[in-house]
Amino acid sequence: MGLIARATVCHPHAALGLVLLSLLPWQTAPAALRAYRLGAENTRVGFSVRYLAVAKAEGRFPAVQGDVTFDPDSGQVADIDVTIGTDSVDTGQPARDARLRGEGFFWTERYPTMHFKGLSVERTGPASGIIRGELTLRGVTRPLALDVAITPDQDGASGRLFITVKGTLDRRDYGMVDGVAGLFIANKVALRIDATGLIPEPTPP
């Protein structure tokens, strides 16, 4: 996986450095970029949070859509963009879900979606890296780093891209302070996304 593609204007004296950088495997150019679509039918967005110090609540967001632009040959990631419908939150307990949709948590009436935009990727292994981007939630945009593994299907025939993303966020950063007093609900929320990116069908002329 390479760094997210960026256009750069360099001083001529930096030419030698660029030549050396171009030898790195995740800087292969030109990239054969492919656009992959993420949707509710092939993406699971899950979360978990501790409460009462020992118990753990888990949930998911069925409403999700996004796009990943990726070169399966070089591993270069050019774009990551994911939008999640907060109103779809589902913990398996209707009363809890109603509270999570309220003003103390996601406040879905005012903020019906959250959005993650990837800005760069730091490679940590042959198929793993750290996505650094921005998460917008409840009208607040903050930087967020997530661990990611991206693997294309072995023969490329199916046009599938297997993606796993993990990370944590502090809900207080986004104004979610309900349950903070007395540590009733933990501040750290664990996130996990398991997705299969698909190449969209061509649009008929």
Side-chain angles (χ1 to χ4, degrees), residues 94-199:
R96 177 193 287 162
D97 297 343
R99 183 181 179 188
L100 290 175
R101 295 186 184 102
E103 185 175 347
F105 290 95
F106 292 106
W107 203 355
T108 61
E109 183 177 0
R110 177 172 291 189
Y111 306 106
T113 63
M114 59 176 141
H115 176 247
F116 178 77
K117 175 68 175 178
L119 301 177
S120 66
V121 177
E122 175 188 346
R123 184 172 179 159
T124 59
S128 63
I130 300 174
I131 301 176
R132 304 187 191 281
E134 293 180 337
L135 176 67
T136 300
L137 174 60
R138 286 176 51 108
V140 178
T141 300
R142 289 189 175 273
L144 182 65
L146 301 168
D147 295 323
V148 62
I150 299 181
T151 307
D153 61 337
Q154 293 184 355
D155 58 10
S158 68
R160 295 181 299 175
L161 190 68
F162 305 108
I163 305 167
T164 299
V165 178
K166 300 178 183 179
T168 61
L169 61 82
D170 191 322
R171 63 190 180 93
R172 295 171 299 179
D173 291 341
Y174 302 91
M176 294 186 183
V177 296
D178 197 357
V180 170
L183 299 178
F184 179 69
I185 303 174
N187 299 318
K188 299 294 184 179
V189 181
L191 307 173
R192 181 182 175 110
I193 300 175
D194 293 289
T196 300
L198 304 177
I199 296 178

Side-chain angles (χ1 to χ4, degrees), residues 26-103:
W26 58 89
Q27 295 288 341
T28 303
L33 295 173
R34 295 182 183 178
Y36 295 84
R37 182 67 45 80
L38 306 181
E41 69 281 1
N42 52 37
T43 304
R44 188 186 191 282
V45 179
F47 67 91
S48 63
V49 61
R50 296 283 181 182
Y51 66 97
L52 297 177
V54 293
K56 182 169 69 171
E58 298 182 340
R60 64 190 185 98
F61 294 95
V64 56
Q65 62 181 8
D67 296 281
V68 177
T69 307
F70 179 78
D71 177 10
D73 295 323
S74 69
Q76 177 180 325
V77 178
D79 190 43
I80 299 173
D81 195 291
V82 179
T83 299
I84 297 168
T86 54
D87 190 63
S88 70
V89 63
D90 179 10
T91 65
Q93 296 188 20
R96 177 193 287 162
D97 297 343
R99 183 181 179 188
L100 290 175
R101 295 186 184 102
E103 185 175 347

